[in-house]
Amino acid sequence: MDLTFSQEQDELRKVVRSFLAKHSDEAAVRRLAAEPLGHDPVLWRRMAGELGLQGLAIPEEYGGHGFGYVDLGIVFEEAGRALLCGPYFATVALAAEALLRCDDEQARRDLLPGIASGETVATLALTEDSGRWDEQGIRLTGRTTADGPRLTGTKTYVPDGHLADLVLVAARTPGGISLFAVDGDAAGLVRTALPTLDQTRKQARLDFTDTPARLIGSQDTAWPALERTLATASVLLAAEQVGGAAAALDAAVDYAKIRVQYGRPIGSFQGIKHKCADMLVEIEAARSAAYAGLWALDADDDTETPVAAALAQAFCSEAFTKVAGDNIQVHGGIGFTWEHPAHLYFKRAKSSEVLLGTPSYHRELLATRLGI
Amino acid sequence: MELDFGPAVRDFRDELRDWLADHLTGEFAAHRGVGGPTDGEAWEVRLAWDRELSNGGWLGVGWPKEYGGRGLGLLEEIVFEYEYARANAPYRATGNALDLLGPMLLKMGGEEQKKRFLPPILAVEELWGQGFSEPGAGSDLASVRTRAERDGDQWVVSGQKVWTSFGIHADWLYVLARTDPDSVRHKGLTMLLLPTDQPGVEIRPIRNLAGQDEFAEVFLSDARTGADMIVGEVGQGWRTAMATLGIERGTTLLPQQLTFEREAEALIDLARERGALDDPMLRRRIIDAWISVRIMRTTNLRTLAELTAGRTPGAQSTTAKLYASTRHQQLGHLAQELAGPAGQIVGEDYGLDMRQRSFLLSLAETIYGGSSEIQRNIIGEQVLGLPKEPRP
């Protein structure tokens, strides 16, 4: 196992960072955050066409580039740093993963190439009104009819569910949990965008009424694959959180170098210097937590991955929130304004904290997986 | 996650594992995990263990053969530390010379010095103490006041050193002294090697808060050493000292982290025994303690991987000490809380059990090798590039 980044990986980071610095700068983030859609189809196509980011870790046989999770983690870290707006997490970390983890070769061949090429925006609809991320939280029902499967019920807090072309839906079927694919414009599907505290990542409510669907994998057996999907997404979200936290620290440090009070830069006062140092300590610990998850994913380690994933979410969520909050503090009054970007990171941190389940939930997942 | 660096290193590892299993028996086995950088527990047994290691050829794995080492590389050194800690062998009584003085001499010492001093270190024939800190120069080593003057072919040294770990056992000291009386701060300091067996050297034990005598204060009154006993150049002692401290930060975290992992496992066992896992507040702290030690492990692996790949280690190599020392203290507080009233009772003559000892000694971890406050300054200024505080 290689625990350092290769030169190629350093290069990938550089390329993605400079691309996002250009196309997901503060102006672009603010513009997309203010729109209900929150998605720039031109940027999306360039991400796929020029850099192949949507298909980076999708195997070549499904139209992707066959890179590993460490590589994908680098992209998520950079996406977090740039507060990338749009359905990248929903499409790549959730939907593509769910397809890869489910035992359905035909569905992979049918659906993954569109994701890899940037043609398809996709998401995974799992949570309902209870906001639960576990098997018990799934109430929406799937039933078999003469015309194929039909779904009835409600999903909510679905990341980018308002615009996804393809929605993978976790549903309760007579013997367990099954996964279905639904077209974004299917009959009997009503999509409502939800106004979000964090405007940089949109959510939607999806009401299904006898909606036609396609069964992915075999019926009643989807939960283990969904659990693996969530573990992978947890690690990728952790990488995104690390990137966001690093950007918040950079902003704090830049400001502490130039803001003068009592005749000297505030960064020369231990009160500020030590706060910034503590932010970095937290970020490097979070980085370790996220990287351990990426290594476990690339090693295909079924024992280590669920542990590392729960640990990464439990830790990185809180680290990002803490660092993003400290960034506002270092900036003082200016950091509390709408005009300053500090709040964008803080709100992203707060929403990411619950995106795949709260830190407490992940602590319990970890404890259960460890037998504590 | 296992460290694996390929077949050659794997053979080395297996040989070491077998040797440790064969030799960590009898009285040595009874002292597994004993000791630490500030802990002089069971000194004689540990000294005997160091000789056992020396006879087995396991001291100085990475040192050149001509000085008594094995002449292997950084990988083997890392694997040695890792397996050593994994076997829970006693903390080496000669740790100071092995981890600090030896590497310093290898890096900056003269050929004669290497030939003279390195073999006896590996043979456990001479023990060393570090003479950096002073009553007025703890974290701020630049304010060292111990003076050294040239007198013919000798240096004459006077002053006071303090916090010398294992100082009462030291045959030699490596001392940072001011050789230019008009110099200020870190200019005009020189690194000197000084024998303790002479009238001008008086060593008094200082009892630490765990009740042990393993620190010492050292009084130097016209103590003498040869003119050739300087490491590096006259007036360049600051550079030599900083290089040494850099080495210290790099090598101690790996074995330490394995000890912490063991303590975290013991903590969970204790919590289970006492039914504390059902208490939501305690449960959360227990899980967080486990998370902390697992993060320390990955952080160290990141640094090791970078070092072995020939890369300059990232920021995590600088933040690791602050993270580990503060989280270990939290772990100790939690372990003591879980032990309850029983944890408050000690043995005869203030005899501490492992948990109590580790907890109390953890209070030193945020001080030695640069206090947490100094660590934050280093991170803030050297890693983040924040402006320095105004200095007079």
Side-chain angles (χ1 to χ4, degrees):
Chain A
M1 193 183 336
D2 189 1
L3 307 185
T4 53
F5 293 110
S6 65
Q7 261 178 342
E8 290 75 20
Q9 288 167 331
D10 287 346
E11 190 56 31
L12 171 69
R13 184 187 297 280
K14 236 170 79 188
V15 168
V16 175
R17 185 178 296 187
S18 87
F19 178 87
L20 292 176
K22 203 159 133 203
H23 300 291
S24 177
D25 60 355
E26 189 185 336
V29 168
R30 284 185 182 275
R31 180 171 53 78
L32 291 171
E35 289 173 2
L37 195 65
H39 169 50
D40 176 355
V42 177
L43 174 61
W44 188 254
R45 277 196 297 276
R46 296 189 66 176
M47 284 169 62
E50 291 171 29
L51 302 178
L53 297 185
Q54 286 89 327
L56 194 74
I58 292 176
E60 281 162 299
E61 65 217 84
Y62 309 125
H65 302 279
F67 283 73
Y69 285 101
V70 169
D71 305 281
L72 192 57
I74 290 171
V75 178
F76 272 97
E77 211 179 321
E78 294 306 318
R81 178 181 286 274
L83 275 188
L84 175 66
C85 294
Y88 189 68
F89 182 83
T91 303
V92 175
L94 290 173
E97 276 306 317
L99 288 169
L100 283 167
R101 304 282 168 177
C102 275
D103 190 17
D104 191 331
E105 183 60 20
Q106 194 55 48
R108 280 196 286 268
R109 290 193 181 283
D110 292 347
L111 301 173
L112 284 172
I115 288 177
S117 70
E119 212 171 291
T120 310
V121 168
T123 192
L124 173 68
L126 200 147
T127 45
E128 303 184 6
D129 283 331
S130 68
R132 291 172 65 159
W133 280 96
D134 55 9
E135 194 177 352
Q136 286 73 36
I138 299 168
R139 295 286 162 83
L140 178 141
T141 54
R143 61 190 182 86
T144 315
T145 72
D147 298 328
R150 291 284 190 273
L151 305 181
T152 297
T154 297
K155 292 288 175 184
T156 190
Y157 318 117
V158 179
D160 295 295
H162 60 302
L163 58 86
D165 308 303
L166 167 68
V167 185
L168 296 166
V169 185
R172 187 158 292 281
T173 40
I177 302 297
S178 305
L179 187 70
F180 295 93
V182 174
D183 278 346
D185 53 7
L189 170 58
V190 177
R191 310 197 279 180
T192 316
L194 301 169
T196 45
L197 181 76
D198 165 23
Q199 296 172 300
T200 68
R201 182 145 45 211
K202 310 294 187 189
Q203 300 179 14
R205 177 184 170 91
L206 308 182
D207 289 295
F208 297 82
T209 314
D210 215 23
T211 310
R214 167 181 178 178
L215 178 68
I216 306 288
S218 54
Q219 186 164 304
D220 302 333
T221 60
W223 184 249
L226 282 169
E227 225 176 1
R228 283 197 292 275
T229 302
L230 293 176
T232 308
S234 291
V235 173
L236 295 172
L237 180 60
E240 192 195 277
Q241 288 165 324
V242 167
L249 173 60
D250 284 353
V253 167
D254 287 348
Y255 188 71
K257 284 176 185 170
I258 55 154
R259 171 68 168 168
V260 172
Q261 290 280 268
Y262 306 104
R264 53 180 169 117
I266 60 171
S268 69
F269 291 97
Q270 288 196 346
I272 299 295
K273 182 178 297 176
H274 288 189
K275 186 182 277 294
C276 292
D278 284 335
M279 289 160 83
L280 184 64
V281 172
E282 206 63 16
I283 289 170
E284 287 301 331
R287 221 183 270 283
S288 291
Y291 290 179
L294 295 169
W295 294 335
L297 282 169
D298 272 340
D300 211 6
D301 187 331
D302 289 340
T303 316
E304 184 67 20
T305 301
V307 169
L311 186 155
Q313 260 315 288
F315 191 86
C316 296
S317 286
E318 288 177 353
F320 187 15
T321 300
K322 172 82 171 68
V323 170
D326 284 348
N327 180 37
I328 293 178
Q329 184 70 23
V330 170
H331 276 85
I334 189 78
F336 188 65
T337 62
W338 189 267
E339 281 70 27
H340 198 278
H343 73 100
L344 299 173
Y345 283 92
F346 184 73
K347 289 169 184 170
R348 171 66 80 86
K350 232 23 217 176
S351 79
S352 304
E353 214 180 274
V354 296
L355 183 63
L356 296 178
T358 65
S360 302
Y361 170 67
H362 284 281
R363 273 195 190 85
E364 272 313 312
L365 275 184
L366 175 64
T368 309
R369 288 165 185 177
L370 291 172
I372 295 177
Chain B
M1 212 175 300
E2 276 261 332
L3 281 177
D4 188 359
F5 296 112
V9 179
R10 217 174 295 145
D11 288 346
F12 171 82
R13 182 195 67 189
D14 293 343
E15 184 196 344
L16 173 58
R17 273 190 191 172
D18 291 346
W19 190 91
L20 286 169
D22 287 348
H23 290 77
L24 260 179
T25 54
E27 64 170 346
F28 299 138
H31 287 84
R32 273 176 198 271
V34 162
T38 60
D39 179 356
E41 199 73 15
W43 183 258
E44 291 303 324
V45 177
R46 285 164 56 195
L47 211 51
W49 168 247
D50 277 25
R51 295 203 178 95
E52 190 85 2
L53 281 170
S54 174
N55 292 335
W58 295 108
L59 294 185
V61 164
W63 294 14
K65 283 184 181 163
E66 53 195 303
Y67 310 123
R70 274 212 184 188
L72 299 172
L74 178 65
L75 281 180
E76 286 85 355
E77 277 192 79
I78 289 165
V79 169
F80 175 80
E81 292 298 344
Y82 190 80
E83 291 298 323
Y84 190 85
R86 194 175 160 275
N88 208 10
Y91 189 91
R92 291 189 292 280
T94 47
N96 199 312
L98 286 170
D99 297 341
L100 295 172
L101 176 76
M104 177 175 96
L105 285 179
L106 283 169
K107 201 169 167 180
M108 320 200 61
E111 190 52 38
E112 287 305 309
Q113 292 171 341
K114 292 182 200 173
K115 279 191 194 140
R116 161 64 187 86
F117 291 114
L118 295 177
I121 290 172
L122 297 186
V124 199
E125 283 164 1
E126 282 176 352
L127 299 182
W128 284 81
Q130 187 205 66
F132 285 6
S133 296
E134 298 185 3
S139 293
D140 181 15
L141 279 183
S143 62
V144 155
R145 275 184 304 198
T146 293
R147 285 171 294 107
E149 277 174 51
R150 189 69 185 266
D151 178 20
D153 60 354
Q154 290 196 314
W155 289 99
V156 183
V157 191
S158 295
Q160 186 188 344
K161 294 292 176 181
V162 76
W163 314 129
T164 306
S165 297
F166 308 144
I168 54 172
H169 307 290
D171 302 302
W172 284 79
L173 300 166
Y174 50 111
V175 171
L176 198 57
R178 198 166 287 285
T179 42
D180 175 358
D182 300 325
S183 66
V184 289
R185 305 287 307 153
H186 55 269
K187 296 187 186 77
L189 295 172
T190 299
M191 186 74 70
L192 286 157
L193 309 178
L194 184 93
T196 59
D197 185 19
Q198 58 170 312
V201 178
E202 191 195 341
I203 299 177
R204 295 183 199 153
I206 303 173
R207 204 167 183 210
N208 69 19
L209 56 68
Q212 302 159 339
D213 279 342
E214 297 305 325
F215 280 130
E217 51 186 346
V218 179
F219 297 88
L220 304 169
S221 331
D222 292 338
R224 288 178 173 266
T225 192
D228 54 346
M229 288 294 129
I230 60 166
V231 185
E233 286 165 40
V234 176
Q236 294 294 316
W238 178 255
R239 261 187 69 213
T240 313
M242 286 305 107
T244 312
L245 292 177
I247 294 163
E248 177 179 39
R249 276 195 279 272
T251 51
T252 51
L253 290 172
L254 187 69
Q256 212 183 41
Q257 154 236 319
L258 280 165
T259 307
F260 296 171
E261 282 187 18
R262 246 174 232 118
E263 290 178 8
E265 297 294 339
L267 181 114
I268 292 166
D269 289 344
L270 177 66
R272 187 172 287 123
E273 223 169 83
R274 302 190 65 93
L277 288 174
D278 300 328
D279 176 322
M281 300 291 277
L282 285 171
R283 185 172 175 79
R284 177 182 173 142
R285 287 166 63 197
I286 291 161
I287 297 168
D288 281 346
W290 195 91
I291 288 176
S292 297
V293 295
R294 180 54 75 94
I295 284 178
M296 288 178 211
R297 180 199 289 192
T298 313
T299 304
N300 289 333
L301 288 176
R302 285 170 63 198
T303 304
L304 291 176
E306 285 162 351
L307 282 172
T308 50
R311 293 188 152 213
T312 307
Q316 86 284 351
S317 62
T318 312
T319 59
K321 194 231 173 194
L322 183 53
Y323 184 81
S325 56
T326 48
R327 298 295 173 130
H328 186 224
Q329 278 176 12
Q330 288 171 9
L331 194 154
H333 282 288
L334 180 57
Q336 279 298 104
E337 189 175 327
L338 290 172
Q344 300 302 306
I345 307 303
V346 300
E348 295 285 311
D349 299 325
Y350 209 69
L352 305 175
D353 63 28
M354 287 285 265
R355 179 172 51 238
Q356 292 165 332
R357 196 161 51 221
S358 180
F359 168 59
L360 289 180
L361 294 174
S362 77
L363 273 299
E365 287 159 18
T366 46
I367 300 171
Y368 66 63
S371 68
S372 292
E373 290 69 25
I374 292 294
Q375 297 297 330
R376 290 189 180 95
N377 277 356
I378 291 171
I379 294 166
E381 292 172 12
Q382 294 177 18
V383 182
L384 297 175
L386 287 167
K388 289 187 192 313
E389 285 172 80
R391 294 207 166 103

